[in-house]
């Protein structure tokens, strides 16, 4: 099913999976250098197969269609891009007869224009060429609904836009997308394969793929229509039992949910002072609940880099890994497969092998590995790019160029959005202002305030030219990369009480542990006191709209994208709006604002961040 003929793929392909289910999935896995087939003790002339064999697992997550290296602000070293990811993985595989590549979801969705303009067909084609073996689905695989996800797996041209290249039909993914915990409301069955089994020379490793149970809270209602999302732990445990009954004892779970390490350093030791102590977030509880039958967890969603050992329910060490995002990193893990038990010999991150002279049940043990069992590696751009990826990018860029290179406006400096860790982001203010201005006229909705969800800001606006457009020029491709969902805007009636509730929901309920601070249009100001807890963090008597206190009984016309209007991201109050008017798309409003407020001679400066006063 690959987009171009590939030779000698058969030995690496993932084989069996639950019969009768549509196939879709990708897995990328990489291992430390020096791993090889090895047996206990010395070879005394007998030619028995080695008792153990090292299987290389190369993995990554959250690519989000970033075929080209993601834009960097001045001073940061650009990493990633499929030209370099492909080279890194191909180099890592050398000398490893048993190598699997797996991924943890969000391969597509929220993609830059080069992929997003073509409904992510270019990314699927690139992953086929990279030899991805399997992936779980992530929440972004559902951005355009289950029917479009099935098309990405099975092929066929887009139902509305057709085929993008004359005489070429999109062939779909030649790796399985796994969706064990996503079932059809009608049939009760998984919409894609729940698991798959990689086989080579008697070595069998099962992969189970799940996305976070909370996917419906972070995807538009249309994207998850007709689907049910189930508990990650229960689902993985159910299929681990099924694989075990089939004689598959080595199992890896691909889970599109993650954690946050205590340090942002990609090689931070999150097993200090003890296993798993340096990581927090949803994956820690999930890892502790997943059956001991599962030998390793490849995770994602939080866009963090970590390689940790979180003990399984039996107290044994088990690897939990994540490789940042956007193809900037990959994880290389050694799975030592025991041919006698058909299971993985579990070790901690640094390996727990003993000296050659020690014995266990009369058997000599391996020495401690010279390399860690698992480590993250940066995808640097100081290596030769993969020429087939360079050609792929050039081909799709030619198709995209007439749209991508159109100037939309001008900026005087970087306007940070995705890279900003502050509650109020300069680019968030700019987007909210654009939405308010576009929807304030009476015939456009009469909005008096606009809210933007922070997760919908997918990039920064970077001053430095990305191509030949010149510094400070914002192209359509760049503005699309900032807001790639093309969400339709809504204007709704909310009471003052509902508006205050929405602000409180930023820091309470499902958002208390990890606040989601809405970006607000000019005129709305308030104080956020992070020394308090829950809803009390929003200091209610400081909330002002154009200098006036919010009247709980008054009705306000509020602009927001359709995701927020559906109550997404835990904002139930925003989902209670009435008298809905559907406006232009968020991207159209953003581009119109850039055109109206900037010229080459008078570029737009980054807006001040003075709307939310934060007490820490």
């Amino acid at each position: 099913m690959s987009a171009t003929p590939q030779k000698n793929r058969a030995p690496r392909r993932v084989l069996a999976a639950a019969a009768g289910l549509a196939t879709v999935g990708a897995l990328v896995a990489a291992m430390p250098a020096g791993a090889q087939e090895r047996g206990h003790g010395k070879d005394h002339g007998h030619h028995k197969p080695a008792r153990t064999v090292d299987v290389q697992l190369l993995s990554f997550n959250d690519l989000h269609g970033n075929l080209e290296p993601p834009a960097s602000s001045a001073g940061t070293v650009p990493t990633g891009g499929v030209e370099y990811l492909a080279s890194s993985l191909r180099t890592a595989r050398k000398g490893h007869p048993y190598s699997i590549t797996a991924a943890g979801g969000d391969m597509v969705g929220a993609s830059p224009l080069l992929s997003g303009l073509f409904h992510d067909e270019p990314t699927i084609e690139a992953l086929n060429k990279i030899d991805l073996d399997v992936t779980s689905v992530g929440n972004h695989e559902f951005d355009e609904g289950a029917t479009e996800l099935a098309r990405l797996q099975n092929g066929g041209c887009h139902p509305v836009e057709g085929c993008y290249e004359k005489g070429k039909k999109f062939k779909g993914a030649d790796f399985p997308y796994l969706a064990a915990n996503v079932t059809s409301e009608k049939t009760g069955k998984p919409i894609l394969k729940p698991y798959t089994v990689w086989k080579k020379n008697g070595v069998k490793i099962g992969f189970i793929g799940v996305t976070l149970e909370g996917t419906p809270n972070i995807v538009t209602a249309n994207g998850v229509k007709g689907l049910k999302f189930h508990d990650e732990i229960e689902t993985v445990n159910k299929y681990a039992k099924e694989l075990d009954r089939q004689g598959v004892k080595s199992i890896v779970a691909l889970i599109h949910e993650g954690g946050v390490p205590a340090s942002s350093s990609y090689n931070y030791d999150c097993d200090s002072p003890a296993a798993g102590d340096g990581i927090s977030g949803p994956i820690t509880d999930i890892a502790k609940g997943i059956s001991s039958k599962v030998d390793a967890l490849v995770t994602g969603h939080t866009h963090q880099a970590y390689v940790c050992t979180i003990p399984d329910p039996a107290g044994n060490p088990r690897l939990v890994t994540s490789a940042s995002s956007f193809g900037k990193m990959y994880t290389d893990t050694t799975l030592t497969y025991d041919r006698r038990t058909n299971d993985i010999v579990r070790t901690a991150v640094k390996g727990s092998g003993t000296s050659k002279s020690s014995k266990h049940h009369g058997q000599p043990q391996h020495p401690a590995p010279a390399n860690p069992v698992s480590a993250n590696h940066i995808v640097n751009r100081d290596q030769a790019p993969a020429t087939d990826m360079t050609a792929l990018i050039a081909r799709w860029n030619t198709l995209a160029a007439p749209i991508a290179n159109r100037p939309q406006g001008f900026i005087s400096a970087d306007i940070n959005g995705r890279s900003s860790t502050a509650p109020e982001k300069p680019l968030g203010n700019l987007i909210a202002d654009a939405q308010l201005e576009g929807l304030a006229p009476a015939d456009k909705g009469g909005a008096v305030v606009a809210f933007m969800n922070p997760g919908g800001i997918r990039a920064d606006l970077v001053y430095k030219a990305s191509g030949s457009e010149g510094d400070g020029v914002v192209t359509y491709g760049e503005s699309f990369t900032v807001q790639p969902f093309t969400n339709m805007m809504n204007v709704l009636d909310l009471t003052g009480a509902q508006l205050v509730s929405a602000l409180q929901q930023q820091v309470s309920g499902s958002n208390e542990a990890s606040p989601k601070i809405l970006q607000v249009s000019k005129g709305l100001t308030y104080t956020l006191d992070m020394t308090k807890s829950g809803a009390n963090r929003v200091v209610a008597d400081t909330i002002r709209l154009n200098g006036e206190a919010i009247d709980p009984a008054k009705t306000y016309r509020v602009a927001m994208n359709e995701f927020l209007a559906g109550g997404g991201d835990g904002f139930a109050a925003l989902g209670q709006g009435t008298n809905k008017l559907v406006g232009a798309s968020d991207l159209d409003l953003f581009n119109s604002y850039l055109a109206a407020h900037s010229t080459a001679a008078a570029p737009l400066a980054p807006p001040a961040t003075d709307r939310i006063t934060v007490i820490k």
Side-chain angles (χ1 to χ4, degrees):
M1 291 170 66
S2 179
T4 54
Q6 298 196 22
K7 296 175 184 175
N8 304 321
R9 289 291 301 275
R12 296 194 62 255
R13 296 282 29 97
V14 173
L15 302 175
L21 292 165
T23 61
V24 72
L27 170 62
V28 178
M31 253 185 28
Q36 56 189 340
E37 266 194 72
R38 59 189 188 187
H40 284 294
K42 294 179 180 176
D43 180 3
H44 297 292
H46 301 293
H47 295 288
K48 289 181 180 176
R51 162 85 183 264
T52 62
V53 56
D54 282 353
V55 178
Q56 180 185 52
L57 176 64
L58 299 170
S59 55
F60 60 92
N61 50 277
D62 296 277
L63 180 63
H64 291 288
N66 278 261
L67 301 179
E68 297 174 297
S72 304
S73 298
T76 57
V77 179
T79 57
V82 293
E83 295 165 281
Y84 303 96
L85 178 61
S87 288
S88 292
L89 295 174
R90 287 165 183 171
T91 300
R93 287 177 191 139
K94 286 177 182 172
H96 297 284
Y98 296 85
S99 182
I100 313 168
T101 300
D106 277 7
M107 294 295 97
V108 300
S111 305
L113 182 131
L114 178 58
S115 185
L117 188 64
F118 306 106
H119 296 276
D120 284 310
E121 289 181 21
T123 296
I124 298 297
E125 182 185 344
L127 292 171
N128 287 343
K129 289 176 179 289
I130 277 179
D131 288 353
L132 186 61
D133 287 303
V134 58
T135 187
S136 66
V137 293
N139 52 289
H140 282 284
E141 265 81 15
F142 295 92
D143 284 347
E144 295 186 45
T147 303
E148 174 64 3
L149 173 56
R151 185 183 78 88
L152 290 179
Q153 175 72 92
N154 300 320
C157 295
H158 193 270
V160 176
E161 295 173 25
C163 300
Y164 295 112
E165 294 177 285
K166 195 173 179 181
K168 275 192 180 179
K169 182 183 173 187
F170 175 57
K171 295 183 178 176
D174 68 1
F175 50 84
Y177 258 110
L178 304 180
N181 68 330
V182 187
T183 59
S184 161
E185 285 181 349
K186 281 184 183 172
T187 67
K189 293 179 179 175
I191 61 163
L192 298 168
K193 285 162 51 167
Y195 60 80
T196 193
V197 181
W198 182 91
K199 297 178 181 178
K200 183 175 180 181
N201 298 340
V203 172
K204 292 188 296 187
I205 299 179
F207 290 89
I208 302 166
V210 296
T211 186
L212 69 155
E213 184 183 7
T215 291
N217 301 326
I218 51 175
V219 173
T220 58
N222 278 341
V224 295
K225 197 173 178 182
L227 305 177
K228 281 191 86 168
F229 291 77
H230 302 271
D231 181 85
E232 304 95 335
I233 297 172
E234 290 173 12
T235 304
V236 171
N237 290 353
K238 170 186 170 181
Y239 288 110
K241 257 188 207 168
E242 194 168 308
L243 283 166
D244 185 62
R245 281 198 300 269
Q246 294 173 16
V248 179
K249 306 295 183 185
S250 299
I251 303 170
V252 175
L254 308 175
I255 303 176
H256 190 71
E257 179 60 290
V260 179
S263 162
S264 59
S265 172
Y266 78 96
N267 55 2
Y268 165 69
D269 179 6
C270 50
D271 285 344
S272 178
D277 280 352
I279 186 168
S280 59
I283 200 62
T284 56
D285 287 336
I286 291 172
K288 289 169 186 171
I290 282 181
S291 164
S292 304
K293 295 182 193 302
V294 175
D295 298 294
L297 277 57
V298 171
T299 71
H301 188 56
T302 55
H303 291 203
Q304 302 291 313
Y306 49 83
V307 175
C308 302
T309 311
I310 300 176
D312 69 12
N316 295 319
R318 180 165 59 191
L319 283 168
V320 179
T321 70
S322 175
S324 184
S325 63
F326 300 166
K328 295 181 290 190
M329 223 168 271
Y330 69 93
T331 314
D332 189 337
T333 301
T334 305
L335 301 174
T336 300
Y337 185 93
D338 188 324
R339 290 183 183 276
R340 188 177 300 172
T341 63
N342 296 323
D343 208 347
I344 300 299
V345 180
R346 296 261 210 98
T347 60
V349 170
K350 293 185 179 64
S352 58
T354 52
S355 68
K356 284 182 182 177
S357 59
S358 71
K359 303 220 171 181
H360 181 66
H361 298 308
Q363 294 292 327
Q365 297 294 292
H366 298 308
N371 299 302
V373 171
S374 184
N376 277 323
H377 301 273
I378 293 173
V379 174
N380 287 313
R381 296 183 67 195
D382 56 4
Q383 59 187 316
T387 54
D388 57 339
M389 294 297 166
T390 306
L392 180 150
I393 288 169
R395 201 179 90 238
W396 287 103
N397 261 331
T398 301
L399 288 171
I403 296 171
N405 296 335
R406 258 190 328 231
Q408 302 299 310
F410 304 86
I411 56 175
S412 63
D414 291 347
I415 304 180
N416 289 335
R418 190 74 181 177
S419 70
S420 169
T421 56
E424 183 183 352
K425 307 170 194 307
L427 189 49
N429 286 355
L430 179 62
I431 291 168
D433 288 350
Q435 293 176 352
L436 176 61
E437 182 171 293
L439 300 171
D443 62 336
K444 303 291 186 189
V448 295
V449 65
F451 291 138
M452 174 63 190
N453 56 306
I457 306 168
R458 305 304 297 187
D460 301 332
L461 279 184
V462 179
Y463 177 78
K464 187 172 173 55
S466 58
S468 58
E469 75 274 16
D471 290 349
V473 179
V474 179
T475 64
Y476 184 87
E478 289 165 340
S479 62
F480 182 98
T481 298
V482 168
Q483 293 202 98
F485 299 108
T486 321
N487 274 317
M488 301 312 292
M489 292 300 300
N490 291 182
V491 185
L492 301 141
D493 282 352
L494 287 177
T495 65
Q498 288 169 329
L499 200 151
V500 171
S501 288
L503 293 176
Q504 291 172 333
Q505 286 165 358
Q506 301 175 110
V507 289
S508 62
S510 60
N511 292 332
E512 178 158 9
S514 182
K516 290 189 172 72
I517 306 302
L518 293 165
Q519 306 299 287
V520 299
S521 55
K522 60 188 171 190
L524 185 74
T525 57
Y526 68 95
T527 296
L528 196 58
D529 186 348
M530 297 307 288
T531 67
K532 295 180 178 171
S533 61
N536 290 329
R537 289 167 167 173
V538 174
V539 184
D541 61 9
T542 66
I543 304 171
R544 296 280 186 277
L545 182 58
N546 301 320
E548 293 184 7
I550 299 293
D551 180 346
K554 187 178 170 182
T555 297
Y556 297 84
R557 293 290 283 166
V558 184
M560 65 194 86
N561 59 41
E562 58 188 321
F563 169 65
L564 282 176
D569 266 353
F571 291 102
L574 298 182
Q576 294 165 0
T578 56
N579 295 329
K580 178 168 75 174
L581 181 143
V582 178
S585 75
D586 51 9
L587 181 60
D588 284 346
L589 292 182
F590 187 50
N591 284 332
S592 296
Y593 188 88
L594 289 171
H597 291 272
S598 67
T599 63
L604 196 66
T609 51
D610 54 6
R611 301 169 192 183
I612 305 171
T613 302
V614 182
I615 300 171
K616 292 182 180 177

